[in-house]
Each structure stands twice: as structure tokens, then as C-alpha cells.
Amino acid sequence: MTQEHYAFREIDRAVAMTKSILIPFDIGIWLRLALIALFAGGAAGGMQFSSGSLSFDDIGDGEFLGSVIPQNPDALVSAMLLFAGILLCIGLVYLLLNGIFQFIFIKALGAGNIRIRTYFRESTGPGIRYFAFLFLLSSLFFGICLILAYLLFAPLVATAPVGPEVAGGILTFVILMFILLVPYLIILMLTTDFVVPIMNIDRCGIIAGWRRCLHLFSREKTEAALYTIMKLVLSVCVSIILSLVVVVAGIGAGIPLMGILIAAGGPQNVSLTFMGLLFAAYFAVVTFCGLIASVPFMTFLRTYSLYVVGDFDDIYALLPDLSSSDAGEASKAV
């Protein structure tokens, strides 16, 4: 087909397209892309925060916590189930928005107009199909994980105390989880990178989109394999960079937080309400910094995948070729 493989050739065009979208700097475009990053996948995932050496003993005498946490076992179980239900509902709503924003993103990039409301309504239908597929696939994955956990640990729980058998069971479970996680993540990645653009162009469902995607891959297996490997490598590199950015942002935002606590004489002299507001502000600042930092990387990765999709078949070419003076014109259009 071509002397240069798609996975390597399209990096330069993706970089050029990303520059044309983000430069010159436009605060509106960056904020809209940050919102897309929040729902379509960006720096928000994987953030970890530690409370350090702060313990419940540092916050008063624990009477407030004792009054909040139900002492009756039945009431405690009911409260935990309610909390789990609320988290589940929030997660499902987020996954639904994730599906919708996947289509909003590629429509905005393809039209050279970074808008959200403009494409929200027409992205709802395919976004729901994407959500249903993601939900079923994730349910299957976690269902298999639960079955494996039961098969591995149920016999151990009923037998002797903790020993080498338990450690071996945990190691086996971790290995099996990793073996299952790799194809799960690859399927999700290819669904987002290939099936979503195909659904957008052909106005088809996700199953039909996967059939056409597999047909494209069957014609050029080497290109599909190289892209999968290259995209995984790029994603890992981006994740490492964004993790470092989040750590730096966390340290920077933590300095004034610690200053406020020290000025108050320690966390034991601060009410739980005020403490909650402080940490909510801290999480908001760090998350915002992570999302803003993710904008150029997220834009690059998505334009990169869209260019590669167009290489497999011209009918799926959504983005212009910016190897010439078109870069300046595209920048003005955005």
C-alpha cells in the first residue's frame, strides 16, 4: 500500500492539527476541550490523593463521627447499600455522558468547530449505543473477575489460616486479571478510535460499526497491529506525563492548604465542614489543572486516531490534510 506505515506517518499530521486547534490560544476552546476531556477521557482518571498521617483521632474526640455512622449493624448495612447505589447511579450517568461526548468530540474536530451544544442532540442516540456496549462489556469483564475470585478464594477461606496458599491465590488472581485487562482495554480503545468514527460516518449501530471495523482490519492486518501497539505506547507515555503534572499540581495546591491548617493550629481545631470545603477546593484545583494539561495530549491522540482511520478507507477521513498551507486556514476556521 504505502511505504510508510499509518501508525508512524500520521503523527506529524496529528501534531499539525493539534497546533492549528490550540494555537493561537483561545480560552473558550481550551475550556470546552477540558470539559470534553472530563467526560470523554482525560486527566481526571487515575488521580490519587493521600491524607498523609492524618487520622480520625486528630479530628476532635470522634463524637461527631460516632453520631454520623450508624451503630446498629442493620442500619449500617442499609447506609452502605444506599451509598453504593448513589455511587452506581453517578457512575452510570458519567458513562452515558462519556458515550455522548465521544461523538461530540469527533464531530467538533471534523467540522473544525469546537462546540458542545451544537452537536449534543445528534450525538445522544449513538452515545447511548456506545454506553450500552461499554456497560455490557464492562459487566462481562467484572463478572468474570468475580467468578475467578470466588473460584480462587472460596476454598481458601473455608480452610486453614492465612498462609502460602492465600499468597499464591492472590498472585494467580492478579496475573489472570492482567491477562483479562489487556484485551478489555484494547477493545475499548478500538471501539473509541475506529468504531465511533465509523458509526458517525455510516450512521449505523455499534455492532455494524464493529463489523466494518473488522473488515478494514482484515484487509490490512499489519497496519491494524502496528496502530494498536503504537497507540498503547503513546497512551502510556501521555499517562505518565499527566500523572507527573497532577503530582506537581497536587503539591502546589497542597502548600496553601497546609498553610491554612497550620494557621488554624492543626486539623483538630478545624470543623469537619470547613475541612470538607478545604479538601473539595483542593480536589477541584488539582482536577482542573489536570484537565487543562490534558487538552493538547487528548486532542493529539484523537486527531491521530482519526487520521489513521481515514488511511484505512478514504470514506472515513474526517480531518483535512494539514501538510500544506491548510494548517493556517484550519486554525482560522476553529
Side-chain angles (χ1 to χ4, degrees), residues 31 64 182 235 242 254 266:
L31 289 178
F64 179 81
V182 172
S235 298
L242 291 179

Side-chain angles (χ1 to χ4, degrees), residues 18 22 30-45 47 105 238-239 241-243 245-246 286-302:
T18 302
L22 302 180
W30 278 72
L31 289 178
R32 287 191 289 272
L33 286 173
L35 181 61
I36 292 174
L38 176 62
F39 292 108
M47 291 186 182
F105 195 18
V238 167
S239 297
I241 295 172
L242 291 179
S243 296
V245 171
V246 170
V286 175
T287 301
F288 178 77
C289 292
L291 289 174
I292 291 296
S294 74
V295 165
F297 297 101
M298 177 196 66
T299 305
F300 163 75
L301 290 176
R302 190 52 55 88

Side-chain angles (χ1 to χ4, degrees), residues 195 198-199 204-213:
V195 178
I198 290 174
M199 291 173 63
C204 63
I206 195 162
I207 302 301
W210 258 109
R211 289 198 192 100
R212 296 170 193 182
C213 175

Side-chain angles (χ1 to χ4, degrees), residues 12-331:
D12 290 338
R13 286 210 295 175
V15 170
M17 185 64 180
T18 302
K19 289 180 179 179
S20 73
I21 294 172
L22 302 180
I23 302 174
F25 178 79
D26 186 315
I27 185 63
I29 290 178
W30 278 72
L31 289 178
R32 287 191 289 272
L33 286 173
L35 181 61
I36 292 174
L38 176 62
F39 292 108
M47 291 186 182
Q48 296 182 356
F49 302 96
S50 174
S51 58
S53 60
L54 181 63
S55 66
F56 290 116
D57 295 334
D58 297 325
I59 307 176
D61 56 5
E63 293 181 359
F64 179 81
L65 291 177
S67 64
V68 172
I69 300 176
Q71 301 302 309
N72 186 295
D74 294 335
L76 179 60
V77 171
S78 299
M80 292 176 63
L81 290 176
L82 177 61
F83 183 70
I86 293 173
L87 289 181
L88 178 62
C89 291
I90 294 175
L92 291 176
V93 171
Y94 177 84
L95 289 179
L96 176 59
L97 290 174
N98 174 271
I100 295 173
F101 272 80
Q102 297 293 350
F103 288 89
I104 290 175
F105 195 18
I106 64 170
K107 289 177 184 293
L109 290 175
N113 182 21
I114 307 301
R115 294 286 185 270
I116 294 177
R117 288 183 298 177
T118 305
Y119 308 107
F120 192 91
R121 178 175 296 181
E122 59 183 291
S123 300
T124 301
I128 292 175
R129 298 187 187 98
Y130 179 95
F131 161 75
F133 176 81
L134 180 61
F135 179 79
L136 292 175
L137 181 65
S138 300
S139 299
L140 177 63
F141 171 75
F142 288 111
I144 294 175
C145 292
L146 288 175
I147 293 173
L148 289 175
Y150 176 79
L151 294 176
L152 287 172
F153 297 119
L156 300 177
V157 172
T159 58
V162 177
E165 295 83 2
V166 175
I170 294 175
L171 180 60
T172 303
F173 180 72
V174 170
I175 294 174
L176 291 176
M177 281 283 291
F178 179 77
I179 294 175
L180 289 172
L181 185 63
V182 172
Y184 169 76
L185 293 178
I186 290 177
I187 291 173
L188 289 183
M189 181 187 74
L190 295 179
T191 302
T192 302
D193 293 353
F194 281 82
V195 178
V196 167
I198 290 174
M199 291 173 63
N200 180 64
I201 294 293
D202 292 348
R203 297 292 191 268
C204 63
I206 195 162
I207 302 301
W210 258 109
R211 289 198 192 100
R212 296 170 193 182
C213 175
L214 293 176
H215 175 68
L216 295 178
F217 287 173
S218 65
R219 296 188 306 181
E220 301 184 69
K221 298 181 180 65
T222 301
E223 298 296 342
L226 285 176
Y227 169 79
T228 301
I229 296 172
M230 190 65 181
K231 181 62 186 296
L232 288 173
V233 171
L234 290 174
S235 298
V236 170
C237 292
V238 167
S239 297
I240 293 173
I241 295 172
L242 291 179
S243 296
L244 293 175
V245 171
V246 170
V247 169
V248 173
I251 294 174
I255 294 175
L257 175 64
M258 294 301 298
I260 294 174
L261 293 177
I262 292 173
Q268 66 275 6
N269 295 326
V270 178
S271 67
L272 283 178
T273 301
F274 185 69
M275 181 76 73
L277 292 175
L278 280 179
F279 277 94
Y282 173 79
F283 293 148
V285 170
V286 175
T287 301
F288 178 77
C289 292
L291 289 174
I292 291 296
S294 74
V295 165
F297 297 101
M298 177 196 66
T299 305
F300 163 75
L301 290 176
R302 190 52 55 88
T303 54
Y304 170 67
S305 64
L306 289 176
Y307 275 126
V308 173
V309 173
D311 288 332
F312 277 88
D313 195 323
D314 292 340
I315 192 175
Y316 301 121
L318 285 172
L319 303 180
D321 184 358
L322 298 188
S323 58
S324 62
S325 60
D326 294 339
E329 297 177 4
S331 177

